[in-house]
Amino acid sequence: MFSKLMALKIDDVGREKSLAFMVFFSFVIMMLGSSRSIYGVYMPDDFLLASQKMPMSFYLNQGRFIQAVITGFFNYIDINIVSSSPIFTPLFFISTSLASSLLVFFLLEKRSSLIISCLLSGVIVSHPAFSMMSVYHLAVVCFAFCMICIVGYMISFDNFIKNHNTKSALSASFFMLLVCGNYQPAFIVIIIYSVIRVYIVEHKLLTFNNFKAAYPIIVGLIAYAIIFKLTKNILGENHWDSRAGLVEDPLLRIREILAFLPSFFYKNWWVIPKQFGIFLSVISVLYIATYLFKSNRLTASLVLIPLLLLTAILMPLALLKVWDPTPRALFSISFLYSSVMILFYNESMIRLKAILLSIAILLGLISSNSYLYQTEMAQKKDALLAIKSYNLIKNSRIKANRIAIVNNNAINVDFWALNGLLYFLTNENMNISSPTDDEIERCDKFKNESRLIEGKESILVCLSN
């Protein structure tokens, strides 16, 4: 039975049915890995939006004008964007499953194993980076839309490669514009897909036809740059985001990148265990080794493409002033693993590869749920401490015009999210003020206990574990 399943090819089942199988399999995998995020786990950004509306200028200054429009729409209809998570998180799962399946479907030969095709798509969506994206309930609306646009780009670009018609090229450019204006790191998925897609045609990387194939990307980038320039300060400047700016010490940044690189392949990365990266690395090496053994040739292009794509993944983050390699910002690495396996695809030792891919998916699911579980448990602790500060304030005899909280590493959120966290838990906007240096110094005396300090018209909460 297993042998018959492994021998089943995409063309044997039919291309439309095969794609449907891949999408369904990926969606189930993604639900198993990240469904806990739909209701139970939130990020500080979500707490912030609980007590105030995010200005459109914040996203416009970041070049995310599509997210600005989405935010503006929710502000206009006076509905908290976080409340829409049960609608858009499953849509994010569906669109991501479709994007991963289409990437495998368009890049893999149709005489390939259907089981391996499903597993390669499953490897993408089981990556814990997606569980770390799905907990941002304010942004999951944008993530869902972004993945839909990636799907639109893949279909348009595939048609452009086959027919070379201008309409498909412009459609691809339009979808790329929407992706960049929504969530810039997703642009790397387009690069990964496009580079391998054009390579498949000629089995060469640097050719005149391949340069012509870059037309949709170039047009899309130019259009994005123009719209970014026109809209950046159209609603005023916003200096909330301290990550803006370019790298100031290139040599230090190179050392930081070299120190980080093993995290992709054989070291722990945030809460993603090294075993997950090791398994994906082993499978990739197995594909490369069996490809070399079977074809007995290795072109310069084949060596360059994975290195080129890895550089493309890191480059946007490497150029920023603050080096912060979060899985959410580098989620495109999940597409790279499967893309390398597709690039070196062969059916030697296919049963072993299927088993290893299945184990990798299982490790990804376990890691995803572990992250969501740890985040949920940490938030329960934060909730108890936040309620503790709320009770201290409510039990005060002072009718305060000003309330400040000094958080001595008790609650695991930054100050800007504290007021939102209290509102999230109590449905009461406390309008917490930022503590002054003097207030922080006063609370230094009570680092081991929580204390309420009452003034004439103000309340200071010194919060400790």
Side-chain angles (χ1 to χ4, degrees), residues 2-38:
F2 183 70
S3 299
K4 289 183 179 180
L5 285 174
M6 291 304 301
L8 201 61
K9 309 297 183 184
I10 292 175
D11 276 340
D12 295 337
V13 178
R15 300 189 178 188
E16 292 182 359
K17 287 183 179 179
S18 295
L19 180 59
F21 278 127
M22 293 163 65
V23 174
F24 177 74
F25 178 78
S26 300
F27 178 71
V28 171
I29 293 297
M30 205 163 186
M31 284 293 291
L32 290 173
S34 302
S35 59
R36 185 193 291 263
S37 66
I38 296 177

Side-chain angles (χ1 to χ4, degrees), residues 89-162:
T89 303
L91 181 60
F92 169 54
F93 295 163
I94 294 171
S95 56
T96 304
S97 300
L98 182 56
S100 66
S101 299
L102 274 178
L103 181 133
V104 175
F105 182 79
F106 281 142
L107 299 183
L108 202 59
E109 290 185 3
K110 303 306 179 284
R111 297 186 301 275
S112 305
S113 166
L114 176 59
I115 299 298
I116 296 294
S117 302
C118 291
L119 290 173
L120 286 172
S121 180
V123 163
I124 296 174
V125 298
S126 65
H127 198 287
F130 289 110
S131 67
M132 298 180 188
M133 295 173 71
S134 63
V135 293
Y136 284 83
H137 295 262
L138 73 97
V140 79
V141 182
C142 304
F143 293 153
F145 181 71
C146 195
M147 287 299 170
I148 291 171
C149 290
I150 288 175
V151 168
Y153 174 88
M154 288 181 181
I155 295 171
S156 300
F157 190 78
D158 181 73
N159 191 47
F160 170 65
I161 293 297
K162 290 177 180 177

Side-chain angles (χ1 to χ4, degrees), residues 22-23 25-30 33-34 96-97 99-101 103-104 114-131 264 272 275-284 287 331-342 352-368:
M22 293 163 65
V23 174
F25 178 78
S26 300
F27 178 71
V28 171
I29 293 297
M30 205 163 186
S34 302
T96 304
S97 300
S100 66
S101 299
L103 181 133
V104 175
L114 176 59
I115 299 298
I116 296 294
S117 302
C118 291
L119 290 173
L120 286 172
S121 180
V123 163
I124 296 174
V125 298
S126 65
H127 198 287
F130 289 110
S131 67
F264 279 157
I272 304 174
Q275 290 82 359
F276 180 69
I278 289 172
F279 247 96
L280 291 177
S281 300
V282 167
I283 301 169
S284 299
Y287 266 98
F331 82 94
S332 53
I333 188 65
S334 61
F335 286 85
L336 179 63
Y337 287 117
S338 285
S339 297
V340 169
M341 296 174 203
I342 292 169
L352 176 60
K353 290 173 181 175
I355 292 170
L356 291 177
L357 285 171
S358 300
I359 294 173
I361 290 172
L362 179 61
L363 285 173
L365 293 179
I366 291 173
S367 302
S368 294

Side-chain angles (χ1 to χ4, degrees), residues 328-455:
R328 185 168 66 104
L330 296 172
F331 82 94
S332 53
I333 188 65
S334 61
F335 286 85
L336 179 63
Y337 287 117
S338 285
S339 297
V340 169
M341 296 174 203
I342 292 169
L343 199 59
F344 292 92
Y345 182 83
N346 62 90
E347 298 195 350
S348 298
M349 305 175 69
I350 192 167
R351 293 185 183 183
L352 176 60
K353 290 173 181 175
I355 292 170
L356 291 177
L357 285 171
S358 300
I359 294 173
I361 290 172
L362 179 61
L363 285 173
L365 293 179
I366 291 173
S367 302
S368 294
N369 280 282
S370 173
Y371 164 74
L372 294 173
Y373 173 78
Q374 290 180 46
T375 305
E376 184 178 356
M377 296 306 288
Q379 288 175 0
K380 287 179 179 179
K381 178 187 174 184
D382 288 345
L384 289 174
L385 290 168
I387 291 296
K388 184 178 182 179
S389 65
Y390 175 80
N391 289 333
L392 286 171
I393 294 169
K394 283 300 179 179
N395 290 331
S396 172
R397 296 164 298 176
I398 304 296
K399 188 175 181 181
N401 293 325
R402 181 178 181 276
I403 301 172
I405 296 178
V406 175
N407 179 24
N408 289 322
N409 297 318
I411 298 178
N412 191 34
V413 297
D414 291 327
F415 167 76
W416 50 264
L418 270 179
N419 189 67
L421 175 59
L422 284 167
Y423 183 84
F424 203 85
L425 296 168
T426 65
N427 198 32
E428 184 175 347
N429 198 332
M430 308 293 291
N431 293 316
I432 306 297
S433 301
S434 176
T436 63
D437 291 339
D438 178 62
E439 288 171 333
I440 293 173
E441 188 176 333
R442 290 170 70 186
C443 283
D444 282 343
K445 303 173 185 177
F446 310 107
K447 283 192 173 180
N448 297 321
E449 61 176 313
S450 294
R451 178 71 65 92
L452 181 71
I453 301 176
E454 297 176 332

Side-chain angles (χ1 to χ4, degrees), residues 286-298:
L286 181 62
Y287 266 98
I288 294 171
T290 52
Y291 176 88
L292 291 176
F293 181 78
K294 191 171 183 179
S295 64
N296 198 29
R297 65 184 178 88
L298 184 65

Side-chain angles (χ1 to χ4, degrees), residues 83-319:
S83 67
S84 64
S85 175
I87 302 170
F88 289 98
T89 303
L91 181 60
F92 169 54
F93 295 163
I94 294 171
S95 56
T96 304
S97 300
L98 182 56
S100 66
S101 299
L102 274 178
L103 181 133
V104 175
F105 182 79
F106 281 142
L107 299 183
L108 202 59
E109 290 185 3
K110 303 306 179 284
R111 297 186 301 275
S112 305
S113 166
L114 176 59
I115 299 298
I116 296 294
S117 302
C118 291
L119 290 173
L120 286 172
S121 180
V123 163
I124 296 174
V125 298
S126 65
H127 198 287
F130 289 110
S131 67
M132 298 180 188
M133 295 173 71
S134 63
V135 293
Y136 284 83
H137 295 262
L138 73 97
V140 79
V141 182
C142 304
F143 293 153
F145 181 71
C146 195
M147 287 299 170
I148 291 171
C149 290
I150 288 175
V151 168
Y153 174 88
M154 288 181 181
I155 295 171
S156 300
F157 190 78
D158 181 73
N159 191 47
F160 170 65
I161 293 297
K162 290 177 180 177
N163 303 318
H164 301 286
N165 60 331
T166 304
K167 182 179 179 182
S168 297
L170 292 177
S171 296
S173 299
F174 177 69
F175 283 119
M176 202 196 74
L177 167 68
L178 295 180
V179 167
C180 291
N182 198 338
Y183 187 59
Q184 293 97 333
F187 165 67
I188 305 301
V189 178
I190 287 176
I191 295 296
I192 291 172
Y193 168 75
S194 301
V195 168
I196 298 180
R197 184 68 185 84
V198 297
Y199 172 81
I200 287 172
V201 177
E202 299 187 35
H203 293 286
K204 292 180 181 179
L205 190 58
L206 300 176
T207 67
F208 179 71
N209 285 333
N210 286 353
F211 278 114
K212 286 170 59 179
Y215 161 65
I217 294 177
I218 294 171
V219 172
L221 282 177
I222 293 173
Y224 171 71
I226 293 172
I227 294 178
F228 181 19
K229 182 68 176 178
L230 292 174
T231 61
K232 182 179 180 181
N233 297 319
I234 195 171
L235 295 180
E237 294 187 18
N238 193 302
H239 302 289
W240 286 13
D241 196 342
S242 61
R243 296 168 296 182
L246 297 177
V247 59
E248 297 175 348
D249 189 343
L251 291 178
L252 174 61
R253 181 55 44 84
I254 291 172
R255 290 196 294 270
E256 289 172 332
I257 292 171
L258 292 176
F260 167 74
L261 272 175
S263 302
F264 279 157
F265 308 110
Y266 59 86
K267 287 183 69 177
N268 292 327
W269 179 23
W270 285 48
V271 295
I272 304 174
K274 61 184 179 183
Q275 290 82 359
F276 180 69
I278 289 172
F279 247 96
L280 291 177
S281 300
V282 167
I283 301 169
S284 299
V285 170
L286 181 62
Y287 266 98
I288 294 171
T290 52
Y291 176 88
L292 291 176
F293 181 78
K294 191 171 183 179
S295 64
N296 198 29
R297 65 184 178 88
L298 184 65
T299 63
S301 297
L302 274 175
V303 176
L304 283 174
I305 288 176
L307 296 176
L308 175 67
L309 296 179
L310 185 61
T311 302
I313 290 171
L314 290 169
M315 188 60 68
L317 205 61
L319 294 175

